[in-house]
Amino acid sequence: MLVLESVTHTYPNGVRALDDVSLTIPAGMFGLLGPNGAGKSTLMRTIATLQTPRSGTVRFGEIDVIAQPERLRETLGYLPQDFGVYPRVSAYAMLDHLAVLKGIAGRGERKATVETLLDQVNLWGARHKAIAGFSGGMRQRFGIAQALIGNPRLIIVDEPTAGLDPEERNRFLNLLAAIGENVVVILSTHIVEDVTDLCPRMAIMGMGRILAQGAPADMIAQLAGTIWARTLDRADLPAIAERHRVISTRLSGGRMVVHVVSADDPGEGFAPIAGGLEDVYFATLHPTMQPAPVAA
Amino acid sequence: MFARVAAFEFRYQLRSPVFWAVLALFFLLTFGAMASSEISIGDPNTSVHKNGALSLAMTQMIMAVFFMFVSTAFVANVIVRDDETGFGPIIRATRITRFDYLFGRFTGAFAVVALAFLAVPLGSFVGTLMPWVDPETLGPNRLAFYLQPYVTIVLPTLLLSSALFFAVATITRSVMLTYVGVLAFLLLYGISRAVMRANPDLREIAALSDSFGFGAVALITRYWTGAEANSQTVPLAGIVLVNRLIWSAVALVALGFAWWRFRFAMPSVAARKPAKGDDLAPQRVAALPMPDQRAALWPRLGTQIGFEMGLIVRSPAFFVLLMVGLLNSAGAMLLPDAMYGTPTYPATFLLIKALQGSFALAPLIIAGFYAGELVWRDRDRRMHEIIDATALPNWAQLVPKYLALVAVLFATLLAGVVAALLVQLGKGFTAFHFAEYLLWFVLPGAVDMALLGGLALVLQVLAPNKYVGWGLLLVYFVVSSVLDPLGWQHPLYQYGSTGPNPLSDMNGDGVGGVSGWWFRLYWTSFLVILLTLAHLLWRRGTETRFAPRARFALARLRGGAGLVGALALLVMAATGTWLYHQTNQLNQYETSLDTDRHLAEFEKRYLALETAPEPSVSTIRLNVNLYPQQRLMLATGTYALVNRTAVPIRDVHLVLPEHARDVLALAISGAHLVTDDDVHFVRIYRFDRPLAPGAGATMVFTVRRWQRGINAKGDDQRLVANGTFLDNSEIAPVIGIHRSAMLSDPVKRRKYGLPSELRMAKLEDDSARARNYIDNADWVASDITLSTDADQTPVAPGRRVSDSTAHGRRTARFVSTAPILNFWSIQSARYAVKSRMSDGVQLSVYYDPAHPYNVDRMLNAFDAGLRYYRANFGPYQFDYARIVEFPGYQTFAQAFAGTMPYSEGIGFLGDFRNPDNIDYATYVAAHELGHQYWAHQLIPADRQGGTLMTETLAQYSALMVMKHRYGEDKIRRFLQYELDSYLRSRGGERLEEQPLVRVENQGYIHYRKGAVALYLLQDRLGEDRVNAMLRTLLARYRFQGPPFASSTDLTAGFHALARNPEEAQLVSDTLERITLYDFKAEHAQTRKLPNGQWQTTLTVRAGKAYADGKGKETPAPLHQAVDIGLFTEKPGKAAFGAGNVLMRQRYPVTDGVQTFTLITARKPRFAGIDPYNMFIDRNSDDNIVSVD
């Protein structure tokens, strides 16, 4: 169980990256949803012991992560949002090296670890190729392989599917889903489908704050009956936006589909729809009426 | 478009921090060189103004070499930044053409480079304005002196380095590989220069092929005097112009090449070949193994070290850097400083010295470069988040990186050893001494490199980014170079300093070897403290600001790291205290600035006393006890004094020499001590009743010389475990105040408020004939008893009358059989001896058993020399003549009474197997034997021209031996070396040049010019007649006291030999004036005559000029008979001999152009005027021309 209490972090230029974040994350998949710049990566790095918050506590089991980061690192797997590679090193050699860094000492054990993981992420055929020459998807697969070394009990993956094609994305999510139940897996992403498909619990983060948390189904149920949709022309949009709380606009077949949140029937041709997680997401991010973004 | 691209590039590069950093750095460097009297670039000569035309040009040219790194930084950035930042595709999708892109950017970058270089002349200029600069070293500031070299010489160099590495960057698309290219270029340059330097015939080619223009400038200014160097800019003409044009053309070719090869498309990343085993199946386990942190500790360290090492070793830059270092040191080992062009045997200790010298820079570069790479690689590659999130402890990040760096540096040392072994094998030298390589080079070198690498690593951890880290290392390097000259000379605060550790075959690493290791322990503990600090401040995660890391560091201090640091601190404090005790309490520590100051004070206080009457010494009796293993000497002496002056003597002034200040007893009979100046080590004794003329007294003294502890400036090199060599000036108190120990450098003298010159008495000063120039040493009878360890051989001047060994001590007694000067030596070592009799004189060589190579050669030289000298100069006064080897800490030979110490570094290890090489072992031996006459029978007065009678005549004596041994026709090679050396050295004259009759102990005149001059005189006046004249001189002055011989006696003697006005003129011109001839063979043509003979027409140009002391010349009319010769081979070549001379005859020559028509039986191939370089010719190369 990972518990964060009032974690706050301010950068030297005054930006509040994390603003009084409190979360309780049990074992299993946990989705952290939020737009770019919300503070997700900062939060991930803080939990991964790479950053120390100004105030607040982070506890994993009985480990006080801020005071004793080395204890957490012994059982941590971390896939950063953006990572590079050493030149002239093969996937096998690099994974082997990382296994050593993580504490798998014996050569036989390392061999078993490295080969199993390479097979699991389907990089076995490319194991002697230099990582520097890998495509984006192959690199991500390598990243998840290294995060799984040593059976960590806390796995953090930061924006793992950005830039992957649909097939690779599926493969990746299947891999994550196969991880055991006693492991806390935090999936930080801005792709709503990832969370919908995979996570029994989630939180929505914006501007450094946790805006909502709970089970997706519960959060969707909360909005039941308040989501309305309508198709209209682009020109009509500003008028609608003034009168209703528009949460999303999308083009479909040349015309615009608008979702609004309203406790009662807004009329004007709006029809109720069963809201999805995306609607929950947008609604949480924009709690008040705001001018809708005008598609170019 | 072109102009805009160039303008953008210019503005962009101008804003880069590199530009401002470079500007500041080069400004400071040149400012420092100009404004500081201690720091200098190039030759710190003091008659040439620091802001004279040539000095400024040289400064700029030298800086232009360093600037290569700067220009590379700018131009490589032009090509590479688009790809590295990822912005490339956007730029290339615009309308820009390849030409505009490439050359527009290059132009902008080059403009920035050219602008940045202006920091150099600016720094020099501002330096001259500083009020504390010695005005004697400056001349008037002329704008032309600053700008002309910049425009004519430097700009083409900058263009070349920019264009060349622009091309390299275009091809490699990698900044690192481009820098490697810079290093390779510098290396090739260095090697090519060294090769060309060895062969003076290649001078023109060397000048043209020198990309920086040094060779061309050197050729033009070779013989420039100080006055010319100050006022003339190097003309952009002749070979300088051609050189600049050639290399500018090369630059343009490089640009053309870059244009041809450049493509907008990025080169594809070469994929590694898939290795074997692709069909293997992976091993699959259901449950992944769990990590075990404790068990993984040591294996983790091991694989980390291997991994880090692998990353370094596999990078192409490393291989090239290693090659650069290796080839550089191979160059140094293969072309050692040879005397007269003759090589030396590659003894291990000599090769180690070469390796240490040339290996100084490459490891620094490797250490600095890779320290930056190791510390910053994870961050640069953006792997640091993954790595930092693993359970790897902090120290396991720092330590393996450090150990990998040390291992890599160690590997470079081993590579150096391999290179040295190959050199030895290649030269057929098999005395490898592996233990010496290990103990004297590999192990101490490894520690020294570990210290350096550690520092580089720590600086990288403290710096906010890689480039600042490198900058800090550069600052450390600069600071450490200037500490010494500024007076901060103690090894306890110079990082990594171990004190001097000179090596010798005879004495091993006895001097400074063990103490060096104590210093290494001290500095290693300091490094551990630094590494602990680096460990505590190690960047983990994303926190890169200093303050939080510092706070973290303090918190973690209470752990294992703190313990290690505390322990290291303890060791450092303990060693440091002990070392301080050794250097500053058991020894006196004085910086060289303090020493200079004391010398200045000594002069101010006591110079007036130099003419005071002093008693003379008539007999000396010494008992010297050497304990070489303890580096201890105890000497007791009794001097019999007598007043040989015409006045009563009241005071005796004694000066205690530098290493004999531990006086246990000193007394003069009938006198009491009135002054005991223990700062300047002067003691004045006053006779109770003034010593009457003719009366006598006795001086007894007991002196101890003892190397205890560690001397910060270097341990005693003269009293060592094997190879002790001490002379009287290091044992006995000196009577009288003499100038020999005072400051001679005019800059230093002015700094301490002394008149800038302390010149010797003028030729006209007859009162100076009352004293001789060896500190007015008297002719004495000597009785020296020398005792040393039982396994060593003691040697001192005198006949060995007894030699016995008892109780582990060997004692020998030496008594002089003829008067000797109070100028004597004692030596002791484990010698092998080889002797031979030569007409009643025992010739011996005392040598180290490992150096037998040239012993016979030396004995032969003595034999030949003795025969000649006894036949031509007079009786040899001893029944012994000895050469005694001493360790190569200094390389010279010296003549004491019948006993001649000879360094192991010259002669003993000379490689004379090739008969084409000049046999300097014979030459030097004959020279030193000559001194037994010229100095040890006849000693000149202490005034101008003194050394003409000793050194020049010894040169003459040796030359005659060589002439009789090798023949007159082979003498040219030798004379050419001497002539060249004289001409080159004239430009380095500090005060003023003198004609031979007035020479003021100026080596280049009395050795080099003297040799050529006297050879000419004997050639004209007749060897036998000259020798007869010298005989009479010797007979007149042999063993005489004052008035002492003078150079005027020699010139009078030569004048007496002149048979006609032309010869008289020659004598005057040669001895009494500074005369420069200029003989040039312009053209020669031959044709076959109908009678089968050959008629050759030779056109020559001749001239003569007189020069003043500063080098200003006035032409003079020439009426001289000069040799004209026709040959089948070029004189001066090794193979040339008497058989190649078709004719050599004297013809009258006047100034201007002349033609000679000559008939010979065979066809000549070479013709020349003064073909054997017997005259002092301004240019020795143009006397001979090949015949058409």
Side-chain angles (χ1 to χ4, degrees):
Chain A
M1 177 94 90
L2 181 68
V3 178
L4 282 82
E5 266 177 54
S6 304
V7 174
T8 305
H9 190 71
T10 315
Y11 283 127
N13 57 7
V15 170
R16 270 221 166 178
L18 298 175
D19 193 349
D20 198 27
V21 170
S22 296
L23 280 175
T24 307
I25 306 177
M29 296 287 298
F30 184 89
L32 185 64
L33 206 53
N36 292 329
K40 301 194 304 298
S41 288
T42 309
L43 186 61
M44 294 300 99
R45 281 199 291 268
T46 305
I47 303 172
T49 72
L50 294 174
Q51 230 171 313
T52 317
R54 278 296 171 88
S55 61
T57 61
V58 179
R59 305 192 70 83
F60 183 67
E62 81 277 13
I63 304 176
D64 179 345
V65 173
I66 296 171
Q68 297 180 302
E70 56 277 357
R71 286 187 63 191
L72 179 63
R73 289 184 196 130
E74 291 177 10
T75 181
L76 172 69
Y78 176 51
L79 173 58
Q81 178 179 7
D82 183 23
F83 67 94
V85 291
Y86 293 153
R88 296 182 295 271
V89 179
S90 71
Y92 194 107
M94 195 67 220
L95 208 57
D96 187 85
H97 178 62
L98 285 166
V100 174
L101 296 190
K102 296 202 180 207
I104 315 275
R107 180 170 301 174
E109 290 179 332
R110 277 210 316 274
K111 181 171 181 290
T113 302
V114 169
E115 298 197 359
T116 306
L117 284 170
L118 284 173
D119 185 45
Q120 267 188 312
V121 300
N122 208 4
L123 281 177
W124 180 250
R127 66 190 181 284
H128 290 306
K129 292 214 178 87
I131 313 183
F134 277 9
S135 69
M138 291 166 80
R139 189 187 291 205
Q140 283 292 81
R141 279 186 265 150
F142 174 84
I144 192 64
Q146 65 83 24
L148 295 176
I149 294 175
N151 294 317
R153 285 188 297 123
L154 172 60
I155 298 181
I156 301 172
V157 287
D158 196 347
E159 309 270 7
T161 63
L164 297 186
D165 69 39
E167 191 184 343
E168 285 178 330
R169 178 172 160 273
N170 280 345
R171 206 182 283 137
F172 184 87
L173 294 175
N174 288 340
L175 197 58
L176 277 187
I179 292 173
E181 290 89 43
N182 286 329
V183 183
V184 175
V185 180
I186 306 179
L187 172 63
S188 161
T189 179
H190 61 262
I191 299 176
V192 184
E193 287 77 30
D194 287 351
V195 179
T196 322
D197 296 342
L198 223 50
C199 303
R201 284 185 59 86
M202 62 171 279
I204 298 180
M205 195 166 172
M207 308 245 278
R209 288 194 295 274
I210 300 290
L211 301 172
Q213 61 174 300
D218 295 340
M219 292 164 79
I220 292 173
Q222 268 186 318
L223 279 183
T226 61
I227 310 287
W228 306 83
R230 193 196 136 163
T231 313
L232 41 70
D233 291 321
R234 233 183 293 154
D236 304 331
L237 185 54
I240 298 286
E242 271 178 45
R243 289 195 294 276
H244 304 283
R245 186 179 152 205
V246 173
I247 59 170
S248 74
T249 63
R250 208 175 64 242
L251 282 173
S252 174
R255 302 191 73 205
M256 195 158 279
V257 176
V258 171
H259 288 208
V260 301
V261 173
S262 172
D264 342 287
D265 188 341
E268 292 188 47
F270 277 97
I273 57 161
L277 194 58
E278 201 178 84
D279 297 308
V280 173
Y281 180 51
F282 289 137
T284 313
L285 285 181
H286 306 300
T288 58
M289 274 173 62
Q290 281 178 353
V294 181
Chain B
M1 173 83 87
F2 181 92
R4 295 234 187 93
V5 171
F8 175 83
E9 190 67 27
F10 182 79
R11 283 195 308 272
Y12 175 77
Q13 298 282 14
L14 215 56
R15 262 183 279 120
S16 99
V18 179
F19 175 79
W20 296 104
V22 159
L23 211 63
L25 181 68
F26 279 84
F27 179 85
L28 284 174
L29 274 174
T30 42
F31 172 80
M34 182 64 77
S36 157
S37 59
E38 316 288 357
I39 305 167
S40 57
I41 303 172
D43 189 0
N45 187 286
T46 51
S47 87
V48 175
H49 294 153
K50 277 173 142 183
N51 66 341
L54 191 59
S55 298
L56 288 176
M58 287 305 290
T59 305
Q60 290 191 25
M61 287 169 69
I62 292 174
M63 285 288 125
V65 178
F66 292 110
F67 225 72
M68 271 176 82
F69 291 94
V70 174
S71 52
T72 303
F74 286 117
V75 300
N77 175 277
V78 164
I79 295 289
V80 165
R81 87 167 166 259
D82 280 346
D83 291 329
E84 281 198 350
T85 56
F87 203 69
I90 295 186
I91 297 255
R92 293 174 196 134
T94 65
R95 279 188 317 180
I96 193 166
T97 63
R98 220 158 50 106
F99 183 86
D100 288 347
Y101 178 84
L102 209 57
F103 293 115
R105 286 188 168 196
F106 176 80
T107 308
F110 177 66
V112 169
V113 168
L115 186 67
F117 192 86
L118 287 175
V120 170
L122 192 67
S124 295
F125 175 69
V126 174
T128 64
L129 300 177
M130 291 300 109
W132 63 81
V133 180
D134 186 348
E136 297 276 335
T137 59
L138 297 178
N141 267 335
R142 294 245 162 77
L143 188 65
F145 293 171
Y146 288 93
L147 284 189
Q148 195 260 12
Y150 175 74
V151 171
T152 60
I153 302 180
V154 170
L155 271 184
T157 300
L158 293 178
L159 181 67
L160 175 72
S161 58
S162 304
L164 202 57
F165 298 108
F166 186 70
V168 173
T170 305
I171 300 170
T172 62
R173 299 293 180 121
S174 154
V175 177
M176 189 165 69
L177 285 178
T178 310
Y179 272 111
V180 163
V182 174
L183 287 172
F185 181 85
L186 281 175
L187 173 80
L188 275 172
Y189 176 80
I191 291 184
S192 64
R193 289 313 103 197
V195 167
M196 304 246 191
R197 208 180 313 143
N199 191 344
D201 284 339
L202 293 176
R203 248 196 290 243
E204 295 245 332
I205 301 182
L208 288 175
S209 63
D210 184 327
S211 50
F212 298 112
F214 288 111
V217 171
L219 197 62
I220 301 275
T221 63
R222 215 174 11 160
Y223 302 139
W224 277 15
T225 60
E228 292 169 314
N230 286 339
S231 56
Q232 278 174 247
T233 56
V234 179
L236 185 65
I239 206 160
V240 173
L241 177 64
V242 176
N243 173 289
R244 294 290 85 195
L245 285 177
I246 289 179
W247 288 97
S248 304
V250 171
L252 293 178
V253 167
L255 282 179
F257 187 75
W259 158 254
W260 174 59
R261 280 296 297 253
F262 177 74
R263 296 279 174 273
F264 271 132
M266 268 174 56
S268 51
V269 175
R272 220 159 172 230
K273 270 192 286 138
K276 63 276 160 209
D278 254 280
D279 304 325
L280 284 175
Q283 177 185 355
R284 296 184 186 88
V285 292
L288 290 174
M290 293 295 292
D292 181 351
Q293 303 299 339
R294 213 154 309 180
L297 204 63
W298 295 109
R300 191 185 253 164
L301 203 61
T303 50
Q304 265 286 60
I305 296 176
F307 187 79
E308 301 278 6
M309 271 190 75
L311 281 179
I312 296 180
V313 167
R314 261 182 279 132
S315 74
F318 172 72
F319 180 72
V320 182
L321 281 172
L322 188 65
M323 279 297 113
V324 166
L326 261 183
L327 288 172
N328 189 29
S329 44
M333 291 188 287
L334 284 170
L335 302 162
D337 320 283
M339 277 182 78
Y340 296 100
T342 305
T344 322
Y345 281 110
T348 301
F349 81 100
L350 287 175
L351 289 186
I352 292 179
K353 271 203 265 201
L355 275 174
Q356 284 172 339
S358 60
F359 238 44
L361 199 56
L364 180 74
I365 296 178
I366 292 179
F369 180 70
Y370 282 108
E373 288 295 305
L374 285 168
V375 170
W376 290 97
R377 182 194 55 231
D378 292 340
R379 248 154 241 282
D380 285 348
R381 300 273 169 206
R382 291 173 295 135
M383 278 289 279
H384 64 289
E385 289 190 346
I386 293 182
I387 304 251
D388 288 346
T390 67
L392 192 67
N394 275 357
W395 63 266
Q397 293 211 29
L398 177 61
V399 172
K401 288 183 199 285
Y402 176 59
L403 291 176
L405 187 62
V406 172
V408 163
L409 290 172
F410 186 79
T412 61
L413 281 176
L414 288 179
V417 172
V418 169
L421 288 172
L422 286 174
V423 167
Q424 286 182 318
L425 264 177
K427 288 201 170 182
F429 189 81
T430 52
F432 290 127
H433 297 302
F434 292 110
E436 286 179 16
Y437 279 118
L438 184 69
L439 292 172
W440 296 354
F441 179 64
V442 175
L443 286 181
V447 175
D448 291 340
M449 293 219 194
L451 286 172
L452 188 62
L455 181 69
L457 211 67
V458 170
L459 287 176
Q460 288 292 352
V461 173
L462 295 175
N465 67 54
K466 190 160 62 174
Y467 299 96
V468 174
W470 285 338
L472 286 177
L473 191 64
L474 186 66
V475 169
Y476 155 75
F477 186 60
V478 170
V479 167
S480 62
S481 318
V482 305
L483 281 181
D484 246 8
L486 289 178
W488 297 86
Q489 299 165 345
H490 202 288
L492 278 179
Y493 49 66
Q494 293 191 344
Y495 181 74
S497 167
T498 52
N501 181 13
L503 298 173
S504 154
D505 248 359
M506 287 181 79
N507 198 34
D509 69 344
V511 176
V514 174
S515 60
W517 282 107
W518 283 109
F519 277 109
R520 286 190 186 94
L521 179 63
Y522 171 75
W523 286 115
T524 306
S525 48
F526 179 65
L527 180 65
V528 172
I529 297 175
L530 283 182
L531 285 173
T532 311
L533 204 71
H535 161 64
L536 290 173
L537 288 169
W538 186 261
R539 281 180 199 84
R540 188 161 195 150
T542 51
E543 184 56 83
T544 51
R545 287 171 302 156
F546 194 76
R549 280 160 59 208
R551 266 183 269 124
F552 251 146
L554 285 171
R556 281 155 52 191
L557 209 53
R558 260 176 269 116
L563 198 65
V564 169
L567 217 71
L569 193 62
L570 212 65
V571 172
M572 182 182 177
T575 358
T577 314
W578 183 81
L579 283 170
Y580 182 78
H581 173 69
Q582 301 293 312
T583 57
N584 286 37
Q585 289 170 348
L586 289 180
N587 283 286
Q588 182 97 309
Y589 172 66
E590 202 178 59
T591 69
S592 56
L593 299 183
D594 283 333
T595 312
D596 290 344
R597 190 166 42 86
H598 286 146
L599 282 177
E601 287 167 8
F602 172 79
E603 182 173 334
K604 286 183 192 165
R605 260 196 224 197
Y606 298 108
L607 186 61
L609 290 171
E610 74 172 341
T611 50
E614 309 278 356
S616 307
V617 183
S618 61
T619 62
I620 65 175
R621 198 187 178 89
L622 287 156
N623 195 326
V624 180
N625 294 301
L626 286 175
Y627 300 91
Q629 306 311 318
Q630 287 111 288
R631 296 175 297 168
L632 165 65
M633 173 206 77
L634 269 165
T636 311
T638 308
Y639 279 11
L641 305 175
V642 61
N643 181 354
R644 292 207 181 114
T645 70
V647 297
I649 296 177
R650 189 180 67 148
D651 288 341
V652 183
H653 307 95
L654 296 176
V655 180
L656 302 178
E658 193 186 335
H659 295 283
R661 291 175 176 158
D662 202 357
V663 173
L664 303 176
L666 177 57
I668 300 184
S669 63
H672 56 276
L673 183 65
V674 295
T675 306
D676 186 0
D677 181 348
D678 61 1
V679 174
H680 306 102
F681 301 102
V682 174
R683 290 199 193 180
I684 306 183
Y685 286 80
R686 182 158 300 167
F687 285 107
D688 304 323
R689 273 206 306 267
L691 194 67
T698 317
M699 178 169 94
V700 282
F701 59 90
T702 305
V703 165
R704 178 174 61 189
R705 177 174 174 142
W706 196 7
Q707 171 65 60
R708 274 177 298 176
I710 298 170
N711 193 319
K713 308 294 283 299
D715 280 354
D716 197 340
Q717 292 180 4
R718 308 271 287 186
L719 174 55
V720 293
N722 184 34
T724 298
F725 169 27
L726 297 170
D727 66 43
N728 60 303
S729 71
E730 299 175 288
I731 299 173
V734 177
I735 300 179
I737 306 290
H738 303 284
R739 294 185 177 191
S740 44
M742 299 185 192
L743 286 174
S744 51
D745 183 339
V747 176
K748 284 189 188 170
R749 291 181 61 87
R750 282 193 293 269
K751 179 174 165 188
Y752 291 107
L754 295 169
S756 56
E757 299 160 4
L758 196 62
R759 305 282 288 272
M760 56 176 67
K762 291 242 173 298
L763 202 58
E764 290 70 19
D765 182 357
D766 268 340
S767 69
R769 294 188 72 160
R771 279 178 297 283
N772 69 48
Y773 80 70
I774 305 196
D775 285 355
N776 202 22
D778 304 297
W779 295 105
V780 300
S782 71
D783 183 347
I784 303 177
T785 306
L786 178 57
S787 75
T788 179
D789 285 348
D791 62 348
Q792 296 197 3
T793 307
V795 186
R799 180 189 291 164
R800 191 187 291 258
V801 301
S802 76
D803 191 344
S804 61
T805 310
H807 307 302
R809 308 279 302 158
R810 178 170 172 182
T811 310
R813 185 164 163 217
F814 301 87
V815 176
S816 62
T817 52
I820 69 169
L821 288 172
N822 190 5
F823 174 65
W824 38 269
S825 60
I826 59 161
Q827 285 177 269
S828 164
R830 288 185 286 276
Y831 290 117
V833 188
K834 191 155 186 186
S835 295
R836 189 192 295 187
M837 291 303 287
S838 170
D839 272 342
V841 176
Q842 185 183 49
L843 312 174
S844 317
V845 178
Y846 294 77
Y847 61 100
D848 183 275
H851 302 152
Y853 311 105
N854 300 315
V855 173
D856 284 324
R857 184 176 296 267
M858 292 176 182
L859 287 170
N860 292 337
F862 264 10
D863 202 9
L866 210 50
R867 275 178 218 290
Y868 185 90
Y869 300 158
R870 287 166 114 178
N872 288 286
F873 296 151
Y876 177 68
Q877 69 268 42
F878 307 114
D879 59 4
Y880 59 87
R882 308 170 183 137
I883 286 184
V884 193
E885 189 175 2
F886 66 90
Y889 302 134
Q890 292 166 287
T891 48
F892 62 85
Q894 208 174 3
F896 294 94
T899 308
M900 288 151 269
Y902 209 117
S903 167
E904 77 182 322
I906 59 167
F908 279 100
L909 283 171
D911 184 356
F912 302 106
R913 289 175 293 182
N914 183 348
D916 288 344
N917 285 323
I918 290 183
D919 182 359
Y920 66 83
T922 299
Y923 187 72
V924 175
H927 177 104
E928 299 304 333
L929 191 66
H931 271 311
Q932 301 306 318
Y933 289 82
W934 310 111
H936 291 284
Q937 288 185 18
L938 179 155
I939 186 74
D942 186 9
R943 71 180 193 193
Q944 285 184 321
T947 47
L948 176 64
M949 304 288 284
T950 49
E951 300 297 348
T952 308
L953 287 179
Q955 288 281 79
Y956 167 77
S957 311
L959 265 176
M960 292 301 103
V961 173
M962 299 283 274
K963 173 174 135 180
H964 283 268
R965 192 187 168 118
Y966 294 103
E968 209 170 33
D969 306 289
K970 286 203 171 262
I971 214 81
R972 180 189 191 234
R973 287 187 74 208
F974 194 77
L975 288 177
Q976 203 183 9
Y977 264 104
E978 301 287 34
L979 176 61
D980 232 28
S981 178
Y982 162 66
L983 291 171
R984 250 186 299 122
S985 310
R986 291 180 71 218
E989 172 58 63
R990 280 206 290 230
L991 301 171
E992 61 172 330
E993 186 180 352
Q994 298 287 1
L996 277 166
V997 72
R998 286 181 185 270
V999 63
E1000 294 184 20
N1001 202 10
Q1002 294 149 297
Y1004 71 99
I1005 300 178
H1006 65 228
Y1007 287 121
R1008 315 284 158 229
K1009 177 180 177 182
V1012 181
L1014 286 208
Y1015 192 86
L1016 172 67
L1017 287 179
Q1018 63 85 33
D1019 184 68
R1020 289 313 164 94
L1021 302 172
E1023 182 186 341
D1024 291 330
R1025 296 176 71 225
V1026 171
N1027 288 345
M1029 182 264 292
L1030 294 177
R1031 262 202 304 281
T1032 46
L1033 270 183
L1034 272 171
R1036 184 164 143 205
Y1037 284 108
R1038 184 176 288 126
F1039 305 135
Q1040 296 299 315
F1044 292 103
S1046 162
S1047 53
T1048 46
D1049 295 318
L1050 190 67
T1051 48
F1054 273 110
H1055 270 297
L1057 294 177
R1059 293 163 288 206
N1060 54 52
E1062 187 187 297
E1063 286 183 351
Q1065 179 79 35
L1066 187 65
V1067 170
S1068 288
D1069 284 349
T1070 304
L1071 296 178
E1072 290 161 341
R1073 291 194 200 92
I1074 303 173
T1075 311
L1076 292 162
Y1077 296 88
D1078 197 356
F1079 297 125
K1080 183 180 163 101
E1082 292 203 324
H1083 187 242
Q1085 221 171 311
T1086 190
R1087 63 188 181 93
K1088 195 162 184 172
L1089 292 175
N1091 63 5
Q1093 291 183 313
W1094 291 82
Q1095 181 184 58
T1096 311
T1097 323
L1098 170 65
T1099 313
V1100 304
R1101 179 187 292 276
K1104 178 168 102 171
Y1106 294 133
D1108 72 3
K1110 296 289 183 192
K1112 191 151 137 356
E1113 290 175 18
T1114 33
L1118 172 71
H1119 298 287
Q1120 184 64 258
V1122 183
D1123 279 345
I1124 303 284
L1126 292 174
F1127 314 95
T1128 57
E1129 196 54 70
K1130 191 169 180 192
K1133 282 248 179 304
F1136 182 84
N1140 299 115
V1141 182
L1142 291 178
M1143 64 141 285
R1144 185 166 70 97
Q1145 243 184 295
R1146 239 166 256 171
Y1147 287 90
V1149 172
T1150 54
D1151 36 293
V1153 179
Q1154 266 175 281
T1155 312
F1156 298 93
T1157 310
L1158 314 149
I1159 314 276
T1160 48
R1162 282 188 289 151
K1163 179 180 182 199
R1165 288 179 57 225
F1166 292 94
I1169 173 171
D1170 186 28
Y1172 291 178
N1173 280 135
M1174 290 197 246
F1175 282 86
I1176 304 280
D1177 196 330
R1178 182 197 300 289
N1179 185 348
S1180 59
D1181 286 331
D1182 60 7
N1183 291 25
I1184 300 177
V1185 77
S1186 42
V1187 179
D1188 299 333

